[in-house]
Amino acid sequence: RNHKIKTMDIDKFDKFDAFADAEEETGDNSKIHIRVQQRNGRKCITLVEGLADDLDIKRICKAFKKNFSCNGALTKDEDDSEIVQLSGDQRTNVKDFLVDQEICRSGQIVIHGF
């Protein structure tokens, strides 16, 4: 058999911009971490941390509780930033809510656990 190996033209890479469709936002690029922490038995809590300080986190917590029909609380961690605690596994609900309400972009959210 006679196999020919084709070589790609390197010039073509100049014309294609892989990042053309990426949004050019110079806004806040901080990550929002959504974690699930196991309690006893099949109970667990969802922790949302990294929300911007200029947001009304108390109101966001209240909206989470109302929309997801779960309990929730605000706590502070070691470096004095607010953490939202929600009962149950609410990771996907929280992500969808934050993106729908345009609190942050989907790329900023990091989901941890399981």
Side-chain angles (χ1 to χ4, degrees), residues 20-109:
D21 59 343
E23 295 178 28
E24 287 278 334
E25 285 193 46
T26 56
D28 192 22
N29 273 338
S30 61
K31 296 283 186 200
I32 295 176
H33 297 277
I34 304 174
R35 294 185 170 81
V36 167
Q37 199 173 56
Q38 196 69 34
R39 281 181 46 228
N40 48 357
R42 22 184 304 237
K43 307 281 185 191
C44 58
I45 57 172
T46 304
L47 303 172
V48 183
E49 49 191 295
L51 290 168
D53 293 332
D54 59 335
L55 293 172
D56 190 351
I57 297 177
K58 189 172 182 180
R59 229 171 92 200
I60 292 173
C61 181
K62 193 172 181 178
F64 284 159
K65 289 163 59 172
K66 191 174 177 115
N67 287 325
F68 311 149
S69 303
C70 67
N71 201 4
L74 287 179
T75 56
K76 286 189 183 284
D77 66 350
E78 298 84 41
D79 49 318
D80 230 29
S81 61
E82 297 272 354
I83 296 178
V84 179
Q85 288 184 344
L86 300 169
S87 60
D89 186 358
Q90 308 290 344
R91 287 174 297 183
T92 52
N93 292 342
V94 169
K95 179 177 180 175
D96 294 342
F97 180 88
L98 292 174
V99 174
D100 288 345
Q101 298 297 316
E102 296 177 0
I103 295 171
C104 65
R105 298 188 312 276
S106 182
Q108 287 179 270
I109 300 174

